[in-house]
Amino acid sequence: MFEDSLLEDRSALEGADAVLRRLAEAGARVRREAADAERPLATLTDDVRPRAVIAAGSEARLLRAVLEPVCPVPFVAWPAHGLPGWVGALDLVVVMASDGAEPGVVATVHEAVRRGCQLLIACPPASLVAEHAASRSTVLLPTSAADPLSAAVVTLAGLQRLGLGPVVDPQAVADALDQVAADCSPFLDVSENPAKDLAVSLAEAQPLAWGGTVLAARASRRVAEALRAASGRAALAADADELLPILESQVPRDPFADPFEDDADADRRPALVLLDDGSQDSLVRRDLNRLRAAAEHQDVRVCTVSQHHGSDVERYAHLLQTGMFAAVYLAVGLGRYVDL
């Protein structure tokens, strides 16, 4: 059973100090990685446009979500090791390997160098990936924090300089992460802390997470993964058309049901988690309203995490980080340990 008193219990919160501290330091990591990458970023220009961009490694799909709407050349997020057969010297291969050692990423980097591709890589300078990336066509963005989000933000800043992506300001993203850390501090009680409030709302529920835009949907998948790890329960992130049948099949809550029944887990109700990044797209707003109406009709709890200010990447970081804090507080309330 979830004990909300644990969210204000100093000893219980100390048990999650390591993961809470890592979440709180996300803004500092972005600043540090951006500062370390200043010199190589300054060498990037949009003088020569590549034929296509191929992204590999951790957070490649995040790059695709940000770049696809605006990238002036074809963009591919390549999930497998190696490269597509058509990739060659006219193409840009972007690799994020903040941990610096995954064998599949090493193979991809080696293949990019062998084919003479332009290579933009974010990885530790003293790593096997960096060794295989060495070439005249390689720009290495040094990383040290083993943080995929920080590496992705710096890489997006580099792609902006190449004329391939939108404006991404690492300082502004870091500020957004700092704001979430302040708002979700363990020293704030549940009435002031949106992450603790979300954790309490999901205490005995099976979360159904939704984000309407491509980036919000990606945040919803990451948050669902964290909630599964935190609670040991099912948590689903999906599109509106996939979530609506689940919501519509729910029987309205029985006000006389005993919450302490032995089979309570078998009848655990869902809770709808809406990650709203402020998109005014008519289809996104329609799906948001459909989900909310279905949940309210079937007496399903609705939890909304909203961020309507800042760039796309800033709003994504805000939604994602709030969900991550909530997952930690959910684990604390359940007496579990989670390492995100």
Side-chain angles (χ1 to χ4, degrees), residues 167 177 253:
V167 175
L177 292 168
R253 191 188 311 270

Side-chain angles (χ1 to χ4, degrees), residues 53-145:
V53 179
I54 302 91
S58 62
E59 300 297 328
R61 289 184 174 85
L62 172 58
L63 295 194
R64 181 178 66 185
V66 176
L67 260 69
E68 267 189 337
V70 297
C71 188
V73 301
F75 184 96
V76 176
W78 189 248
H81 68 274
L83 291 168
W86 52 266
V87 174
L90 298 178
D91 304 306
L92 171 66
V93 176
V94 182
V95 177
M96 287 163 295
S98 56
D99 56 3
E102 188 176 337
V105 174
V106 174
T108 299
V109 169
H110 178 79
E111 187 67 13
V113 172
R114 187 184 71 81
R115 298 191 197 183
C117 302
Q118 304 169 60
L119 184 60
L120 178 64
I121 181 166
C123 71
S127 65
L128 186 61
V129 174
E131 291 177 18
H132 282 268
S135 78
R136 292 191 304 173
S137 301
T138 296
V139 174
L140 189 147
L141 306 176
T143 66
S144 59

Side-chain angles (χ1 to χ4, degrees), residues 250-287:
Q250 299 302 307
V251 176
R253 191 188 311 270
D254 179 1
F256 301 105
D258 183 354
F260 300 103
E261 287 180 346
D262 293 339
D263 62 346
D265 283 354
D267 299 322
R268 195 183 300 280
R269 293 179 64 77
L272 179 62
V273 181
L274 300 174
L275 300 186
D276 180 9
D277 63 359
S279 171
Q280 295 305 308
D281 181 271
S282 60
L283 294 179
V284 172
R285 304 316 293 182
R286 183 202 66 175
D287 285 346

Side-chain angles (χ1 to χ4, degrees), residues 153 167-177 180 215 277 307 309-321:
V153 171
V167 175
V168 175
D169 181 359
Q171 179 63 46
V173 176
D175 289 344
L177 292 168
V180 174
L215 278 172
D277 63 359
Q307 178 60 22
H309 305 293
S311 68
D312 290 348
V313 178
E314 291 167 52
R315 298 197 302 274
Y316 166 81
H318 187 284
L319 296 177
L320 173 64
Q321 208 72 352

Side-chain angles (χ1 to χ4, degrees), residues 8 30 49 69 75 112 170 239 256 269 298 324 328:
E8 315 303 333
V30 170
R49 180 171 292 174
F75 184 96
D239 295 334
F256 301 105
R269 293 179 64 77
Q298 301 303 118
M324 292 297 183
V328 176

Side-chain angles (χ1 to χ4, degrees), residues 28-51:
R29 288 195 296 274
V30 170
R31 290 189 186 88
R32 183 167 66 249
E33 302 286 48
D36 291 346
E38 277 185 3
R39 183 171 296 179
L41 284 174
T43 68
L44 299 175
T45 67
D46 59 359
D47 295 340
V48 180
R49 180 171 292 174
R51 178 180 62 177

